Amino acid sequence: MARRKENAVDSYEKDAFDTPPAGPVGVHRGKRSFSRRAMPFVAVVILAALAGLLVWGIYSGEIAKIHMPWQSSATSSQSASTPAKSSSSAAPSTSAPATASQSPSASPSQPAQTSQPAPQQTVNKSAAVQVLNGTGVTGYAGRQAATLRQSGYASVTASTYSMGQPPAASVVWYQNETDKATAQDVASTLGIANIEQSAQIGTPVVVVLMS
């Protein structure tokens, strides 16, 4: 019976399960190398050393002196903001001397601000005076011109008004501001109330008679 079973087993083709590997299998493994066995102890020693260094650094204060990469960026940003603050705080000190330097310069300029009295205008009886007749009365301008000559005016001419639209009333026109005093004296001599400056006349003083 046993031989029949052996013959039956031998009749099957052998596979991988019929040739097991040599040596222990499963939990019965071979011995590991010394380096692999010592690795856990080395890791425990390194971790214990690092823990000891950490505790020593905390209690001695040496850990605060260690500069981390992120601390250098924060320090650079703080140092950049510090000059900005110092420059802003220095601004009032620079403005104070400026105001102090302006105050002495203001006092010497005060005498320059005192305005001198304008020179009084004088009557120039040698100025040319033209008397224009706008009334239509013959000889009226000549008689008024003679009145001015009797008052001391040396250059007086009489003519008929022909300058366009005549004024509504008798008027004395003067050319420049320097002729104003002369025009006022002429108007006072002839009894004329209206005195105006005009840039359209070619004579220093022009008298227009309308009445």
Side-chain angles (χ1 to χ4, degrees):
M1 184 67 103
R3 290 181 178 178
R4 290 180 181 178
K5 291 182 179 180
E6 290 178 359
N7 293 332
V9 171
D10 293 336
S11 64
Y12 292 104
E13 185 179 358
K14 294 184 178 182
D15 53 12
F17 296 100
D18 294 328
T19 57
V25 180
V27 294
H28 303 287
R29 295 180 181 177
K31 294 183 178 181
R32 293 180 296 175
S33 63
F34 177 76
S35 60
R36 295 186 63 182
R37 287 181 295 168
M39 186 65 66
F41 299 98
V42 174
V44 170
V45 172
I46 292 175
L47 292 176
L50 291 176
L53 288 175
L54 179 62
V55 173
W56 173 78
I58 293 174
Y59 281 97
S60 63
E62 293 293 330
I63 195 170
K65 299 180 181 180
I66 300 175
H67 296 283
M68 298 299 178
W70 57 84
Q71 291 180 348
S72 60
S73 61
T75 306
S76 61
S77 62
Q78 290 178 359
S79 61
S81 63
T82 302
K85 293 180 180 179
S86 61
S87 61
S88 62
S89 62
S93 61
T94 55
S95 61
T99 55
S101 61
Q102 290 177 1
S103 57
S105 62
S107 56
S109 63
Q110 290 179 357
Q113 293 178 357
T114 57
S115 59
Q116 297 179 355
Q120 295 182 356
Q121 297 179 356
T122 58
V123 178
N124 183 13
K125 293 195 173 183
S126 62
V129 180
Q130 187 178 17
V131 182
L132 302 178
N133 187 4
T135 62
V137 179
T138 304
Y140 184 54
R143 292 193 296 270
Q144 296 295 86
T147 303
L148 292 175
R149 293 190 191 98
Q150 292 176 0
S151 298
Y153 287 94
S155 179
V156 182
T157 58
S159 180
T160 304
Y161 182 83
S162 59
M163 298 175 63
Q165 183 68 27
S170 298
V171 63
V172 177
W173 291 332
Y174 61 94
Q175 194 173 33
N176 300 316
E177 194 67 25
T178 55
D179 302 321
K180 185 176 181 179
T182 305
Q184 290 174 346
D185 185 71
V186 169
S188 178
T189 303
L190 300 179
I192 300 174
N194 298 325
I195 303 171
E196 298 177 0
Q197 185 177 9
S198 176
Q200 299 179 355
I201 59 176
T203 306
V205 179
V206 175
V207 181
V208 180
L209 303 174
M210 298 302 300
S211 58

